[in-house]
Amino acid sequence: MRELIRDPESFCTLGIETSCDETGLCLLRGGREIRAEVLASQIEEHAPYGGVIPEMASRRHQEIFLPLLQELFRRGDIRNPAEEIDLIAVTQGPGLMGALLVGVMSAKGLAQGWNLPLLGVNHLEGHIFANVLHDPRLEPPFLNLVVSGGHTEIYLVREYGSYELLGRTRDDAAGEAYDKVAKMLHLGYPGGPKVDDLASRGNPEAFDLPVPMGNSSEIAFSFSGLKTAVLWKIEALRKEGISPFPLEDLCASFQKAAVASLTGKVRLAMKQTRISRVAVSGGVAANRGLRQRLTEIRGGEIYLPPLALCTDNAAMIAAAGYNGYMRGRRGSLDLSPDPGMVLE
Ligand code: KG4
Ligand code: ZN
């Protein structure tokens, strides 16, 4: 494989993300400048089923990968990829096996064909780099809350490449709870943004719902109890025949409890580690209620990515790959997808 010859500022990384239901490709210049980017979301195809259908996701990634790559090169004005690209960074895991396979195998083919270095990137490290990419002031050590459809975790980022898991969810991820509550309320998939929207118009004090792990001094999350409490409340309200159904109030009360749990554990992690710099990433980092409450944490230096960098994208994968490569990480064509990959 070709070794680094370009200077770090003009170094060009091709990022590839296919871990779930978004096919994302990006050309990153240096560690922060997005030269071109394309994203194909499959949300509409999965929506009628109320969730991601893994087999459908991999087929769609495979169908769209090459046309999307051509579009990326058109936008980035890449004429000779073998000469103009310096590194390929691809999501290795965690994620859906079939979906990851498409990205990893495509990346291997391109790396071999163009004789380029290849690095596998942990999707969660990618989410952490969404903030690094966006804001040059963010430097380790910092805490990172990753909140998405598959993850709810707080990491201590001691330095780039060194991640300590401080706590995680014991059952559902926060985004999963949002999606399930939305499903109970027949709001469609993915429900997170819809619940967020309705919550902004409701009264968060209308219903008293439990704050998950609210009384525990452990950095841990649990959202299945809250989800069940919402289900019981919906059933009770329907039985009582309350009309109109207090949809906004219920969403606002759910959001209040979910956000209180997330921000409470961020406060706890800040206290335990004495680190006040906190970055938040993942799809749920787009939540307006969460963003608002986080900025109210006293003594906190909070970093939130722009909305496009919260949900899955390839720029964050390219940024994590670039950073790893500059730290001396090297990969090989033996790379294989790792659906259960952990971040260490
Ligand atoms: O990071 P992401 O795109 O994919 C995973 O890696 O899971 O996150 C998607 C999740 C979905 O569960 C979606 O409902 C949730 O993020 N989400 C939100 C909001 N926007 C996306 N949840 C709450 N409020 C939002 N505004
Ligand atoms: Zn993600």
Side-chain angles (χ1 to χ4, degrees), residues 123 127 148-150 175-176 178-179 190-193 196 282-284 286-287 310-312:
H123 182 79
H127 275 303
S148 71
E176 200 178 346
Y178 266 92
D179 293 339
D196 189 10
V284 185
N287 184 273
C310 290
T311 42
D312 290 347

Side-chain angles (χ1 to χ4, degrees), residues 1-3 5-6 12 14 73 78-88 110-117:
M1 286 184 203
R2 183 153 67 81
E3 262 297 310
I5 36 166
R6 215 181 296 270
C12 180
L14 167 62
F73 287 176
I78 295 277
R79 287 147 202 252
N80 184 351
E83 290 304 318
E84 293 170 71
I85 296 172
D86 298 288
L87 171 70
I88 299 179
L110 298 178
Q112 187 155 35
W114 294 330
N115 189 30
L116 291 174

